[in-house]
Amino acid sequence: MSFTQKSSNKNFGGELRKYSFKSKTLGDLETNINVFLPSEAVSGGKKVPVLYYLAGLTCTEDNGAQKGGFQQEAAKQGIALVFPDTSPRGAKIEGEDDSYDFGSGAGFYINATKAPWNKNYNMYDFITKELPEVLKSNNLPLDLTKASISGHSMGGHGALTLYLKNPSLYKSASAFAPICHPTKCPWGEKAFSNYLQGGVGEGKANDATELLLQAGGPDKRKLNILIDSGLADNFYNDKQLLPEDFAKAAMDQGYTDEHITIRLQDGYDHSYYFISTYAPEHVTYHAKFLKA
Amino acid sequence: MSFTQKSSNKNFGGELRKYSFKSKTLGDLETNINVFLPSEAVSGGKKVPVLYYLAGLTCTEDNGAQKGGFQQEAAKQGIALVFPDTSPRGAKIEGEDDSYDFGSGAGFYINATKAPWNKNYNMYDFITKELPEVLKSNNLPLDLTKASISGHSMGGHGALTLYLKNPSLYKSASAFAPICHPTKCPWGEKAFSNYLQGGVGEGKANDATELLLQAGGPDKRKLNILIDSGLADNFYNDKQLLPEDFAKAAMDQGYTDEHITIRLQDGYDHSYYFISTYAPEHVTYHAKFLKA
């Protein structure tokens, strides 16, 4: 499927480009992505590694690009950033736009198995399969064999689960205030019971904590995960995020700080002011694996 | 007038706080400001220097705070940032919300002299007088004797004119894609002819290029001005910005790069992707004078 370039803005010596294309996986709906290319990719045509950033509930491809503060360090490291949207748009399913935490803006990075959602709400396949194929077939100067993934909140859940489920696709994962145990929190319960035929039970296959409990420890699989989560985050206090469950699973599986670093940050909340504070460190973290 | 604190977000070790207060200068209307305090001001109670950032047409106090990318370097330098709104809001004047470049979101940082605008549209007095007084009377940990000013587009015009008109208020000025010669461009002509009784002629007193022509050269007044403007900026190509006129006035007055640096940046446009690219350098520039 070929891209339409909707805009391009020079940014930190590179370019922030917005593309749109009709997505097969999302039921032939148009979707937008933002791609940041560092200067060596724009002018030198050099193929650079890729960091995907999955945004959270209510967000689009723009939030991370405009407010995340990732580009300065990505430009320095010579890494591209890919910012997809958070759900299909305009599927015209009844109730799609009724709540902020389900439907539009809330695809949860899973494949829906329940009608009518299963026709369009396939963000898992979109991010892991169609998006890299489309980036490749449009000849962007990206080395897609070197990819890592990050995300915020619902997108943090996405980054962790996609990474845990696809050992060969991503070198590392990081997350800002991720939903760590969706089968045990209201957001996840709502999403899984409405998107999935098998409800919350079926959701376990898309739950970072449950997946980590099956990872088998560092002898079976090395993991590179960095998580930052704020202690003044309302959603943390409301038990939507549950990083403690993910930390416990890590310990149970024998993973140490060398593999999984979870930092609870004093005073920080759920906003992009939090994300932008730690975004440069996350880019640096991924660069270590992407450029290894 | 005392503040109401509407929110606070931890950001780069400091805090981004939103305050609102009823402004006398703006005809007793409520106005919002964002204030970034670096950590030493938040926890140490140390009084830190201040950099004001004036946003452009259609913007509010949020654009610079959320997308500008100033905080990381401000935190590093130990400088506070103050982001005011771009106009009074809700003055209920007929036509106030009809166009993007006049009325709401387009106060032009002048005092209107023409009815009905002169009751509320007094952003010049607001920024130069009431705002510092309110910051002082609310005991924010700011050293208001050390202040500099920056801005974008209409706010760049504001930063340059307020600096040129108030030698004792600001140590330095900088601007991103500023409207440099408003009496000679459509935006400025529209604003001055509608806000000012004396029309565009009266506007000369609020025109950076005209003010610079009266500065008298470096022997009379030393200037510290940094301007970045993009060559792929539609508004530059449409002759709304006219940095070349400001550059010529600087040369006519005997100012060199030591006093006024104007950088035309290849490929950059008018967006916050441009601003965020150079924001750290602008903060560093001001820090030199604020911490001297």
Side-chain angles (χ1 to χ4, degrees):
Chain A
M1 180 54 59
S2 71
F3 276 164
T4 304
Q5 185 168 319
K6 295 178 85 175
S7 62
S8 170
N9 302 89
K10 194 165 177 182
N11 193 203
F12 290 105
E15 275 182 37
L16 195 292
R17 296 182 188 167
K18 189 185 284 282
Y19 294 106
S20 79
F21 60 99
K22 204 175 264 189
S23 161
K24 273 213 172 95
T25 314
L26 304 179
D28 287 324
L29 294 173
E30 285 282 329
T31 191
N32 292 329
I33 58 168
N34 283 310
V35 177
F36 172 74
L37 296 174
S39 61
E40 51 268 62
V42 174
S43 35
K46 191 188 161 193
K47 288 193 172 192
V48 295
V50 181
L51 176 60
Y52 295 94
Y53 173 81
L54 308 181
L57 289 167
T58 76
C59 291
T60 69
E61 74 281 2
D62 284 335
N63 300 67
Q66 294 180 347
K67 301 181 185 178
F70 293 95
Q71 286 95 305
Q72 184 173 24
E73 185 65 16
K76 208 167 127 187
Q77 296 282 356
I79 290 171
L81 302 166
V82 175
F83 303 91
D85 201 349
T86 53
S87 74
R89 302 279 170 180
K92 295 178 185 160
I93 298 172
E94 209 189 314
E96 182 181 37
D97 298 323
D98 288 358
S99 52
Y100 82 98
D101 56 1
F102 184 74
S104 294
F108 270 86
Y109 306 102
I110 61 174
N111 293 331
T113 55
K114 196 169 167 178
W117 306 98
N118 56 352
K119 190 187 159 201
N120 308 98
Y121 280 74
N122 298 305
M123 289 301 290
Y124 180 86
D125 278 353
F126 177 77
I127 303 290
T128 57
K129 293 178 188 151
E130 189 177 16
L131 181 55
E133 279 163 21
V134 169
L135 292 168
K136 194 177 173 190
S137 66
N138 282 272
N139 296 314
L140 286 195
L142 305 173
D143 179 356
L144 292 157
T145 67
K146 290 178 181 161
S148 289
I149 191 160
S150 182
H152 170 230
S153 194
M154 173 184 75
H157 143 75
L160 295 174
T161 52
L162 269 52
Y163 172 69
L164 287 166
K165 291 176 77 150
N166 296 279
S168 63
L169 276 186
Y170 309 107
K171 306 284 184 201
S172 50
S174 79
F176 304 86
I179 302 172
C180 287
H181 203 175
T183 58
K184 299 286 183 192
C185 77
W187 278 337
E189 285 163 4
K190 180 174 178 180
F192 291 161
S193 58
N194 286 288
Y195 284 132
L196 301 177
Q197 223 162 8
V200 174
E202 189 182 337
K204 285 192 178 183
N206 297 292
D207 180 310
T209 297
E210 300 297 331
L211 289 165
L212 183 56
L213 284 170
Q214 298 157 28
D219 290 341
K220 197 168 163 217
R221 182 174 174 198
K222 291 212 182 305
L223 292 174
N224 304 313
I225 294 177
L226 171 64
I227 293 175
D228 279 304
S229 209
L231 289 170
D233 183 328
N234 289 336
F235 301 114
Y236 169 73
N237 292 316
D238 290 350
K239 305 280 182 199
Q240 292 278 21
L241 308 180
L242 302 170
E244 60 275 23
D245 292 6
F246 194 75
K248 185 173 179 309
M251 224 181 300
D252 286 354
Q253 292 282 307
Y255 288 107
T256 64
D257 258 17
E258 193 193 330
H259 313 283
I260 301 178
T261 302
I262 303 176
R263 309 189 296 192
L264 297 180
Q265 302 287 6
D266 190 43
Y268 284 92
D269 59 29
H270 206 67
S271 71
Y272 270 84
Y273 291 119
F274 159 60
I275 300 172
S276 61
T277 301
Y278 293 103
E281 282 182 49
H282 281 235
V283 174
T284 312
Y285 176 78
H286 292 294
K288 199 169 55 183
F289 305 105
L290 290 170
K291 302 187 342 185
Chain B
M1 182 54 60
S2 71
F3 277 164
T4 304
Q5 184 167 320
K6 295 177 85 174
S7 62
S8 171
N9 302 89
K10 194 164 177 181
N11 192 203
F12 290 104
E15 274 182 37
L16 195 291
R17 297 182 187 166
K18 190 186 283 282
Y19 294 106
S20 78
F21 60 98
K22 205 175 264 190
S23 161
K24 274 217 170 91
T25 314
L26 304 179
D28 287 325
L29 295 173
E30 285 283 330
T31 191
N32 293 329
I33 59 168
N34 282 311
V35 178
F36 172 74
L37 296 173
S39 62
E40 52 267 64
V42 174
S43 37
K46 190 188 162 193
K47 288 193 174 192
V48 294
V50 181
L51 176 60
Y52 295 95
Y53 172 81
L54 308 181
L57 289 167
T58 77
C59 291
T60 70
E61 73 281 3
D62 284 334
N63 301 67
Q66 294 180 348
K67 302 182 186 178
F70 293 96
Q71 285 96 306
Q72 185 173 23
E73 185 65 18
K76 208 168 128 188
Q77 296 283 354
I79 290 171
L81 302 167
V82 175
F83 303 90
D85 201 351
T86 53
S87 75
R89 302 280 170 180
K92 295 180 186 160
I93 297 172
E94 210 189 314
E96 183 181 36
D97 299 323
D98 288 357
S99 51
Y100 82 98
D101 56 0
F102 185 75
S104 293
F108 270 85
Y109 305 103
I110 61 174
N111 292 332
T113 55
K114 196 168 167 178
W117 305 99
N118 55 352
K119 188 185 160 203
N120 308 98
Y121 280 75
N122 298 305
M123 289 300 291
Y124 180 87
D125 278 355
F126 177 77
I127 303 291
T128 57
K129 292 177 189 153
E130 188 176 16
L131 181 55
E133 279 163 20
V134 169
L135 292 168
K136 194 177 173 188
S137 67
N138 282 274
N139 295 315
L140 286 197
L142 305 173
D143 179 355
L144 293 157
T145 67
K146 290 179 181 158
S148 289
I149 191 160
S150 182
H152 170 231
S153 194
M154 173 184 76
H157 143 75
L160 295 174
T161 53
L162 269 54
Y163 172 69
L164 288 166
K165 291 177 78 151
N166 297 280
S168 63
L169 275 186
Y170 309 107
K171 306 283 183 203
S172 49
S174 80
F176 304 85
I179 303 172
C180 287
H181 204 175
T183 57
K184 299 287 184 192
C185 78
W187 277 339
E189 285 164 5
K190 180 174 177 179
F192 292 161
S193 58
N194 285 287
Y195 284 132
L196 303 176
Q197 222 161 8
V200 175
E202 189 181 337
K204 285 191 177 183
N206 296 292
D207 179 311
T209 297
E210 301 296 331
L211 289 164
L212 183 56
L213 285 169
Q214 298 157 28
D219 290 342
K220 196 166 163 216
R221 181 174 173 198
K222 291 212 182 306
L223 291 174
N224 304 314
I225 294 177
L226 170 64
I227 293 175
D228 279 304
S229 208
L231 289 170
D233 182 329
N234 289 336
F235 301 115
Y236 168 73
N237 292 316
D238 290 351
K239 305 279 180 201
Q240 292 278 22
L241 308 180
L242 303 169
E244 60 274 23
D245 292 7
F246 195 75
K248 187 176 178 306
M251 223 182 300
D252 286 354
Q253 292 282 308
Y255 287 109
T256 65
D257 257 18
E258 193 193 330
H259 313 284
I260 301 178
T261 302
I262 303 176
R263 308 188 297 191
L264 298 180
Q265 302 286 7
D266 191 43
Y268 284 92
D269 59 29
H270 207 67
S271 72
Y272 270 84
Y273 292 118
F274 158 61
I275 299 173
S276 60
T277 301
Y278 292 103
E281 282 182 47
H282 282 235
V283 174
T284 312
Y285 176 80
H286 291 295
K288 196 170 57 183
F289 305 105
L290 290 169
K291 302 186 344 185

